[in-house]
Amino acid sequence: MARPSKYTADDILDGALHAVALHGRQASVADISQATGVTTGSIYHRFSSRDELLARLWANKAIALGAFLLFLLAFSALAAPLFVRHDPLQMKVVERLRPPSSVHWMGTDEYGRDLFSRIVYGGRVSMGVGGAVTLLSVALGLVLGLYAGYYRFLDALLMRFCDGLMAIPGILLAIALMATFGPSARNVVIALTLVYAPGVARIVRSSVLKVREQNFIDAIRLQGAGPGRILWLHVAPNVLSPLVVQASYIFADAIISEAGLSFLGAGIPAPAPSWGNIIQAGKLLVFKAWWVTVLPGMTIVLAVLGLNLIGDGLRDWLDPHRRMPMGRKRARRPSRASLSCGDAPPGGPCELLQVDGLRTRFATEAGELTALDGLTLSVREGEILGLVGESGCGKSVAAQSILRLYDEKFQVSYEGAIRFEGRDLLSVPLRRVPEIRGGRIAMIFQDPLSALDPVFTVGSQIVETIRRHDRVSGREAALRAEELLALTGIPSPGERMKSYPHELSGGMQQRVMIAMALSCRPKLLIADEPTTALDVTVQAQILDLIRELRERTGMALLFITHDLGVVSELCDRVAVMYLGRVVEEAEADELFARPLHPYTRGLLASIPPLEGRRPLRAIPGTVPPLSRLPAGCAFAERCDRRLERCLRELPELEGCGVQHRVRCWNPDGVSE
């Protein structure tokens, strides 16, 4: 039985390391408790973030060895006056070229100066230059790369500037700058910064180009975050892993470059010691006094080795997928107060969302392409509208056009109207759109893992969404986030708050996405195929959860899916899309009982029956590309009951009964 004694954090850390040694990288809090005799509650309370950080760092052997080498060199350089017995500038001609001995640990140079003191004091200059070049080049390259990769209009300008600098060999550029401004430590730093910054910028830019297209960036933009917040809080952390490795390379290479410049006489001027000019002074004495060049050269080797080890170790440590799962702080128990996630269901069937004649066009190299062509649909308060159709019919484009997610990524133009709560969203200035995204309208993406930021815990992402739209404290936002996770059926929500997306199953990830979407009590929730990537059992659980949340919160739902079976069970009304238009719309029971459009009939005929056996019918042909839109009915080429009129004229969406509309010249199947 564990004894609840007053152990210090250091005692618990020692026990944690002992538990890791016994149980490997998967040591749990229970293992630490058994190794220390401390209750798990005390461990959660006392295991501070500092101790967790140290445990994770020192568990990486590459970081430990590299840090030891670098600390040894840096400490000796900084503490040189405390233990160095000789003046590095004092010349004694009578003691010139003395080999290593008890008096001169590394011998003397051609002027009788103590080589050990010169190497130690030279570390101040060489490592100082390397550190300054690393900080400046990484900072400059990070800014250039982030803005060039995120803003398309800056890309060509900034990258051509970097290409111009990279076209000149780095050492020649540095020599030219040093010859222009004169040799000094400051000028060496400036010259080498201009050499390394363009390379950093290109690495950052390539990472940003990949990250900005990820679904989690769209999800964050949907939550109402502005470009600056997205760029620095979500894009920048995702490019740091390769940047850490590049920074260690720059630090090491800057030390070598400074030594090369000093060796050529264009670096740190004598008599101030640096590792480069020490080697330069002994270049003609290699065979006569080997220690003058070999020992400072070995010092450079140790510094470069230590930096590379640190870079490789930090790359692994910064990757959340490789972090050692140590004990976590106990999450605060949620209060028993009921959670209100939305307004009460409205009494009347008022239309919440109206899309009238929406046309979404994208500018491409092949010309302007129309993805949505006169889309018309509506969602009433509290209802679930199913939006179905084949891949390529424009369902996801419709969802993202409603939220104007394409505005910041593509050259896009809109026509028509998108009225939400009576307000036309297309007339809202782009800077005001984030106030609506995530607050009044939320969205669930198809792939939850790619829609969640991999470098932040799921709890922090929900908290960020809440604090973006509601002026609440971080503590209150965390409590609300924990309650939302509990509302979506996630067990132990306090523990799951600390989890990274990759640590959760697909069903858990989708529940987190639902909790994030509900965090600001939206009136309308857009679910873009939220169950496609899940197995059948989890699909049923998610659908039951969506149905229950609709009943409890009264929100409306635009449900996009391929699965007509799900639509029949979940949705109140159904809209069938084909090539950017709604071709049929009706109440769910009415549509499944009396489908009128041949495309709807084809979709229903492709569903396997629950009882009996019948051959499945596939719709012939494929959805035509946007570059070859037909003049008449878009489905005419695939229709088995088309008329001559169908090839020439586009039918309108007209009523064929109570709340049943269809876009077809021949809904009754009459032959000519």
Side-chain angles (χ1 to χ4, degrees):
M1 180 177 178
R3 55 184 185 276
S5 57
K6 295 183 179 180
Y7 277 58
T8 65
D10 292 333
D11 294 331
I12 297 176
L13 178 58
D14 292 338
L17 297 177
H18 177 63
V20 170
L22 291 177
H23 299 274
R25 294 174 64 87
Q26 301 299 320
S28 64
V29 176
D31 299 328
I32 300 174
S33 176
Q34 183 178 3
T36 58
V38 184
T39 61
T40 56
S42 298
I43 293 175
Y44 277 124
H45 179 70
R46 297 178 180 271
F47 204 100
S48 65
S49 58
R50 174 183 64 85
D51 300 323
E52 184 176 359
L53 173 65
L54 291 175
R56 285 175 172 169
L57 282 174
W58 287 109
N60 191 303
K61 294 182 175 59
I63 293 180
L65 180 58
F68 172 75
L69 292 175
L70 198 62
F71 172 79
L72 187 63
L73 295 173
F75 178 78
S76 61
L78 294 175
L82 300 179
F83 63 90
V84 173
R85 296 180 297 175
H86 301 278
D87 187 345
L89 302 179
Q90 184 180 8
M91 295 184 290
K92 296 181 181 180
V93 180
V94 295
E95 295 184 359
R96 63 187 302 269
L97 300 181
R98 294 287 179 87
S101 64
S102 59
V103 178
H104 300 286
W105 295 346
M106 292 186 177
T108 60
D109 62 8
E110 62 177 341
Y111 297 106
R113 295 173 295 194
D114 182 71
L115 191 60
F116 174 74
S117 62
R118 289 185 63 78
I119 291 176
V120 171
Y121 276 95
R124 290 185 170 187
V125 177
S126 295
M127 298 182 69
V129 168
V133 169
T134 301
L135 291 176
L136 292 177
S137 60
V138 168
L140 179 59
L142 179 63
V143 173
L144 293 176
L146 282 174
Y147 282 92
Y150 193 78
Y151 296 101
R152 295 177 185 271
F153 67 92
L154 290 176
D155 191 11
L157 177 64
L158 295 178
M159 286 301 101
R160 297 300 78 78
F161 171 73
C162 293
D163 291 343
L165 291 177
M166 295 181 70
I168 307 173
I171 193 68
L172 295 182
L173 178 61
I175 290 175
L177 293 173
M178 295 301 296
T180 303
F181 299 106
S184 69
R186 182 187 62 185
N187 292 339
V188 169
V189 171
I190 296 174
L192 293 180
T193 298
L194 293 178
V195 170
Y196 294 117
V200 175
R202 295 203 69 89
I203 292 175
V204 173
R205 172 186 174 270
S206 64
S207 299
V208 172
L209 289 176
K210 180 180 179 181
V211 171
R212 76 176 184 184
E213 302 299 331
Q214 298 295 318
N215 286 343
F216 75 85
I217 295 297
D218 286 339
I220 296 166
R221 189 180 292 114
L222 173 64
Q223 297 160 17
R229 187 179 185 86
I230 293 173
L231 187 63
W232 289 103
L233 291 185
H234 296 280
V235 176
N238 278 279
V239 303
L240 289 181
S241 182
L243 198 58
V244 168
V245 180
Q246 184 68 7
S248 65
Y249 162 76
I250 291 174
F251 200 153
D253 199 61
I255 293 175
I256 297 175
S257 297
E258 181 277 323
L261 290 173
S262 298
F263 185 82
L264 296 174
I268 309 299
S274 75
W275 293 339
N277 61 27
I278 294 174
I279 296 176
Q280 191 271 344
K283 63 182 179 181
L284 300 178
L285 305 172
V286 175
F287 298 102
K288 185 177 181 180
W290 58 268
W291 55 88
V292 180
T293 53
V294 171
L295 295 180
M298 291 299 298
T299 306
I300 295 177
V301 169
L302 292 176
V304 172
L305 176 62
L307 288 166
N308 287 339
L309 289 173
I310 291 176
D312 291 342
L314 285 177
R315 177 198 60 195
D316 297 339
W317 182 79
L318 287 173
D319 186 354
H321 295 268
R322 301 186 181 185
R323 289 183 180 175
M324 181 174 61
M326 300 292 291
R328 292 172 177 156
K329 293 181 181 180
R330 173 172 292 181
R332 181 181 176 89
R333 184 178 297 275
S335 62
R336 295 186 178 272
S338 61
L339 178 68
S340 175
C341 291
D343 302 330
C350 180
E351 289 187 345
L352 182 66
L353 174 71
Q354 291 178 292
V355 180
D356 296 327
L358 177 62
R359 286 179 171 84
T360 301
R361 296 187 176 97
F362 298 109
T364 67
E365 295 180 357
E368 195 174 58
L369 300 179
T370 303
L372 297 180
D373 190 4
L375 175 67
T376 299
L377 58 83
S378 63
V379 182
R380 302 164 187 161
E381 290 188 358
E383 82 164 350
I384 301 179
L385 173 67
L387 192 61
V388 300
E390 293 174 282
S391 296
C393 288
K395 304 184 299 299
S396 296
V397 175
Q400 299 196 41
S401 295
I402 292 172
L403 292 163
R404 294 180 62 181
L405 287 176
Y406 292 121
D407 291 36
E408 301 172 22
K409 296 198 297 183
F410 300 100
Q411 293 180 346
V412 64
S413 63
Y414 302 103
E415 293 181 11
I418 305 173
R419 296 185 181 88
F420 178 71
E421 295 182 323
R423 183 183 186 185
D424 189 358
L425 299 184
L426 294 182
S427 64
V428 177
L430 187 58
R431 67 178 184 276
R432 303 297 299 273
V433 173
E435 299 176 3
I436 302 173
R437 296 174 183 163
R440 306 300 292 170
I441 307 177
M443 185 170 179
I444 304 173
F445 288 88
Q446 178 176 355
D447 184 5
L449 182 58
S450 63
L452 294 170
D453 196 327
V455 300
F456 289 96
T457 61
V458 296
S460 65
Q461 296 183 57
I462 300 175
V463 167
E464 180 186 357
T465 304
I466 295 173
R467 300 194 68 186
R468 170 67 184 174
H469 293 278
D470 295 340
R471 294 183 178 180
V472 297
S473 64
R475 181 179 179 181
E476 183 178 348
L479 288 175
R480 191 194 298 181
E482 190 171 336
E483 291 172 344
L484 284 166
L485 292 178
L487 180 67
T488 56
I490 293 181
S492 303
E495 291 298 313
R496 292 292 179 256
M497 286 274 291
K498 302 292 185 178
S499 299
Y500 289 88
H502 71 274
E503 297 176 323
L504 304 178
S505 64
M508 288 284 192
Q509 293 165 5
Q510 196 61 277
R511 291 172 187 269
V512 170
M513 285 298 301
I514 295 174
M516 190 179 300
L518 297 176
S519 59
C520 294
R521 308 175 179 90
K523 294 287 290 183
L524 173 64
L525 177 62
I526 301 176
D528 188 1
E529 301 187 33
T531 61
T532 300
L534 306 176
D535 58 66
V536 178
T537 303
V538 179
Q539 283 187 24
Q541 295 174 355
I542 295 298
L543 294 176
D544 290 340
L545 173 62
I546 291 176
R547 186 184 295 108
E548 179 184 354
L549 292 175
R550 192 276 294 262
E551 295 174 355
R552 294 180 59 178
T553 64
M555 67 180 178
L557 181 66
L558 177 59
F559 192 85
I560 300 173
T561 183
H562 291 99
D563 195 335
L564 292 174
V566 171
V567 171
S568 65
E569 293 291 331
L570 182 67
C571 299
D572 302 314
R573 287 191 304 125
V574 184
V576 182
M577 276 193 71
Y578 186 78
L579 204 61
R581 301 186 185 99
V582 173
V583 297
E584 187 168 4
E585 181 181 356
E587 299 291 333
D589 294 339
E590 169 72 11
L591 185 104
F592 282 92
R594 193 170 67 95
L596 297 178
H597 198 280
Y599 180 60
T600 308
R601 293 173 181 263
L603 292 177
L604 294 176
S606 65
I607 302 176
L610 295 178
E611 298 179 357
R613 299 178 61 184
R614 64 171 173 81
L616 298 181
R617 296 176 54 190
I619 302 176
T622 58
V623 179
L626 297 180
S627 58
R628 292 192 298 105
L629 295 177
C633 175
F635 189 68
E637 296 181 358
R638 307 173 65 185
C639 184
D640 58 357
R641 59 185 192 188
R642 64 177 176 268
L643 306 176
E644 188 66 27
R645 185 182 186 183
C646 299
L647 300 174
R648 301 190 310 267
E649 302 177 32
L650 176 66
E652 296 294 331
L653 190 63
E654 297 180 347
C656 292
V658 180
Q659 297 182 349
H660 195 156
R661 299 190 299 168
V662 64
R663 188 187 299 272
C664 184
W665 291 120
N666 190 17
D668 298 323
V670 179
S671 60
E672 291 182 309

